[in-house]
PDB file of all heavy atoms in Angstrom:
ATOM      1  N   ALA A 447      89.194  94.884  99.238  1.00 81.00           N
ATOM      2  CA  ALA A 447      87.968  95.750  99.143  1.00 81.00           C
ATOM      3  C   ALA A 447      87.133  95.216  97.956  1.00 81.00           C
ATOM      4  O   ALA A 447      85.908  95.154  98.067  1.00 81.00           O
ATOM      5  CB  ALA A 447      88.339  97.217  98.957  1.00 81.00           C
ATOM      6  N   ASN A 448      87.758  94.932  96.848  1.00 84.00           N
ATOM      7  CA  ASN A 448      87.020  94.399  95.653  1.00 84.00           C
ATOM      8  C   ASN A 448      86.289  93.114  96.044  1.00 84.00           C
ATOM      9  O   ASN A 448      85.113  92.934  95.560  1.00 84.00           O
ATOM     10  CB  ASN A 448      87.989  94.109  94.519  1.00 84.00           C
ATOM     11  CG  ASN A 448      88.663  95.323  93.993  1.00 84.00           C
ATOM     12  OD1 ASN A 448      88.322  96.469  94.328  1.00 84.00           O
ATOM     13  ND2 ASN A 448      89.676  95.128  93.151  1.00 84.00           N
ATOM     14  N   THR A 449      86.907  92.275  96.835  1.00 86.00           N
ATOM     15  CA  THR A 449      86.294  91.007  97.189  1.00 86.00           C
ATOM     16  C   THR A 449      85.043  91.237  98.093  1.00 86.00           C
ATOM     17  O   THR A 449      83.984  90.615  97.862  1.00 86.00           O
ATOM     18  CB  THR A 449      87.303  90.158  97.999  1.00 86.00           C
ATOM     19  OG1 THR A 449      88.421  89.876  97.169  1.00 86.00           O
ATOM     20  CG2 THR A 449      86.702  88.860  98.478  1.00 86.00           C
ATOM     21  N   ILE A 450      85.177  92.189  99.033  1.00 83.00           N
ATOM     22  CA  ILE A 450      84.025  92.500  99.860  1.00 83.00           C
ATOM     23  C   ILE A 450      82.838  93.021  99.023  1.00 83.00           C
ATOM     24  O   ILE A 450      81.661  92.615  99.208  1.00 83.00           O
ATOM     25  CB  ILE A 450      84.411  93.477 100.984  1.00 83.00           C
ATOM     26  CG1 ILE A 450      85.344  92.778 101.933  1.00 83.00           C
ATOM     27  CG2 ILE A 450      83.168  93.958 101.734  1.00 83.00           C
ATOM     28  CD1 ILE A 450      86.016  93.699 102.964  1.00 83.00           C
ATOM     29  N   LEU A 451      83.149  93.921  98.144  1.00 83.00           N
ATOM     30  CA  LEU A 451      82.133  94.519  97.270  1.00 83.00           C
ATOM     31  C   LEU A 451      81.441  93.493  96.405  1.00 83.00           C
ATOM     32  O   LEU A 451      80.207  93.503  96.205  1.00 83.00           O
ATOM     33  CB  LEU A 451      82.710  95.631  96.446  1.00 83.00           C
ATOM     34  CG  LEU A 451      83.107  96.889  97.196  1.00 83.00           C
ATOM     35  CD1 LEU A 451      83.868  97.880  96.270  1.00 83.00           C
ATOM     36  CD2 LEU A 451      81.964  97.601  97.816  1.00 83.00           C
ATOM     37  N   GLU A 452      82.237  92.549  95.906  1.00 86.00           N
ATOM     38  CA  GLU A 452      81.719  91.555  94.981  1.00 86.00           C
ATOM     39  C   GLU A 452      80.937  90.446  95.712  1.00 86.00           C
ATOM     40  O   GLU A 452      79.932  89.929  95.188  1.00 86.00           O
ATOM     41  CB  GLU A 452      82.808  90.934  94.038  1.00 86.00           C
ATOM     42  CG  GLU A 452      82.344  89.918  93.086  1.00 86.00           C
ATOM     43  CD  GLU A 452      83.424  89.252  92.293  1.00 86.00           C
ATOM     44  OE1 GLU A 452      84.615  89.513  92.599  1.00 86.00           O
ATOM     45  OE2 GLU A 452      83.095  88.437  91.414  1.00 86.00           O
ATOM     46  N   LEU A 453      81.494  90.010  96.808  1.00 85.00           N
ATOM     47  CA  LEU A 453      81.014  88.757  97.422  1.00 85.00           C
ATOM     48  C   LEU A 453      80.230  88.857  98.680  1.00 85.00           C
ATOM     49  O   LEU A 453      79.795  87.901  99.220  1.00 85.00           O
ATOM     50  CB  LEU A 453      82.196  87.819  97.646  1.00 85.00           C
ATOM     51  CG  LEU A 453      83.102  87.459  96.415  1.00 85.00           C
ATOM     52  CD1 LEU A 453      84.209  86.553  96.825  1.00 85.00           C
ATOM     53  CD2 LEU A 453      82.189  86.707  95.387  1.00 85.00           C
ATOM     54  N   SER A 454      80.071  90.083  99.217  1.00 80.00           N
ATOM     55  CA  SER A 454      79.443  90.252 100.548  1.00 80.00           C
ATOM     56  C   SER A 454      78.023  89.626 100.580  1.00 80.00           C
ATOM     57  O   SER A 454      77.610  89.173 101.602  1.00 80.00           O
ATOM     58  CB  SER A 454      79.400  91.694 100.945  1.00 80.00           C
ATOM     59  OG  SER A 454      78.696  92.490 100.012  1.00 80.00           O
ATOM     60  N   CYS A 455      77.302  89.658  99.473  1.00 80.00           N
ATOM     61  CA  CYS A 455      75.950  89.166  99.469  1.00 80.00           C
ATOM     62  C   CYS A 455      75.817  87.771  98.997  1.00 80.00           C
ATOM     63  O   CYS A 455      74.765  87.174  99.144  1.00 80.00           O
ATOM     64  CB  CYS A 455      75.024  90.081  98.538  1.00 80.00           C
ATOM     65  SG  CYS A 455      74.917  91.787  99.139  1.00 80.00           S
ATOM     66  N   VAL A 456      76.911  87.193  98.500  1.00 81.00           N
ATOM     67  CA  VAL A 456      76.797  85.823  97.910  1.00 81.00           C
ATOM     68  C   VAL A 456      77.753  84.808  98.564  1.00 81.00           C
ATOM     69  O   VAL A 456      77.548  83.618  98.410  1.00 81.00           O
ATOM     70  CB  VAL A 456      77.040  85.864  96.388  1.00 81.00           C
ATOM     71  CG1 VAL A 456      75.960  86.676  95.711  1.00 81.00           C
ATOM     72  CG2 VAL A 456      78.396  86.471  96.068  1.00 81.00           C
ATOM     73  N   ASP A 457      78.768  85.287  99.220  1.00 83.00           N
ATOM     74  CA  ASP A 457      79.709  84.342  99.855  1.00 83.00           C
ATOM     75  C   ASP A 457      80.224  84.965 101.156  1.00 83.00           C
ATOM     76  O   ASP A 457      81.280  85.699 101.159  1.00 83.00           O
ATOM     77  CB  ASP A 457      80.882  84.027  98.945  1.00 83.00           C
ATOM     78  CG  ASP A 457      81.657  82.835  99.337  1.00 83.00           C
ATOM     79  OD1 ASP A 457      81.910  82.682 100.555  1.00 83.00           O
ATOM     80  OD2 ASP A 457      82.054  82.019  98.490  1.00 83.00           O
ATOM     81  N   ALA A 458      79.483  84.698 102.214  1.00 80.00           N
ATOM     82  CA  ALA A 458      79.794  85.362 103.495  1.00 80.00           C
ATOM     83  C   ALA A 458      81.157  84.959 104.033  1.00 80.00           C
ATOM     84  O   ALA A 458      81.858  85.706 104.658  1.00 80.00           O
ATOM     85  CB  ALA A 458      78.740  84.990 104.522  1.00 80.00           C
ATOM     86  N   ASP A 459      81.562  83.691 103.761  1.00 81.00           N
ATOM     87  CA  ASP A 459      82.867  83.194 104.280  1.00 81.00           C
ATOM     88  C   ASP A 459      84.031  83.963 103.656  1.00 81.00           C
ATOM     89  O   ASP A 459      84.995  84.384 104.365  1.00 81.00           O
ATOM     90  CB  ASP A 459      83.013  81.690 104.002  1.00 81.00           C
ATOM     91  CG  ASP A 459      82.063  80.889 104.949  1.00 81.00           C
ATOM     92  OD1 ASP A 459      81.680  81.420 105.971  1.00 81.00           O
ATOM     93  OD2 ASP A 459      81.807  79.722 104.616  1.00 81.00           O
ATOM     94  N   LEU A 460      84.035  84.117 102.310  1.00 80.00           N
ATOM     95  CA  LEU A 460      85.121  84.813 101.656  1.00 80.00           C
ATOM     96  C   LEU A 460      85.149  86.266 102.033  1.00 80.00           C
ATOM     97  O   LEU A 460      86.166  86.882 102.230  1.00 80.00           O
ATOM     98  CB  LEU A 460      85.030  84.618 100.144  1.00 80.00           C
ATOM     99  CG  LEU A 460      85.446  83.284  99.583  1.00 80.00           C
ATOM    100  CD1 LEU A 460      85.253  83.225  98.028  1.00 80.00           C
ATOM    101  CD2 LEU A 460      86.930  82.964  99.907  1.00 80.00           C
ATOM    102  N   SER A 461      83.939  86.857 102.113  1.00 79.00           N
ATOM    103  CA  SER A 461      83.825  88.282 102.484  1.00 79.00           C
ATOM    104  C   SER A 461      84.343  88.444 103.938  1.00 79.00           C
ATOM    105  O   SER A 461      85.111  89.416 104.202  1.00 79.00           O
ATOM    106  CB  SER A 461      82.398  88.709 102.416  1.00 79.00           C
ATOM    107  OG  SER A 461      82.245  90.072 102.807  1.00 79.00           O
ATOM    108  N   ARG A 462      84.023  87.548 104.825  1.00 80.00           N
ATOM    109  CA  ARG A 462      84.484  87.655 106.198  1.00 80.00           C
ATOM    110  C   ARG A 462      86.018  87.477 106.253  1.00 80.00           C
ATOM    111  O   ARG A 462      86.677  88.185 107.058  1.00 80.00           O
ATOM    112  CB  ARG A 462      83.789  86.535 107.064  1.00 80.00           C
ATOM    113  CG  ARG A 462      84.093  86.686 108.553  1.00 80.00           C
ATOM    114  CD  ARG A 462      83.355  85.587 109.350  1.00 80.00           C
ATOM    115  NE  ARG A 462      81.931  85.562 109.076  1.00 80.00           N
ATOM    116  CZ  ARG A 462      81.295  84.621 108.438  1.00 80.00           C
ATOM    117  NH1 ARG A 462      82.018  83.592 107.978  1.00 80.00           N
ATOM    118  NH2 ARG A 462      80.013  84.675 108.222  1.00 80.00           N
TER     119      ARG A 462
END
Side-chain angles (χ1 to χ4, degrees):
N448 295 350
T449 299
I450 292 171
L451 290 172
E452 180 184 5
L453 300 178
S454 60
C455 295
V456 295
D457 195 318
D459 288 340
L460 285 177
S461 180
R462 189 179 304 111

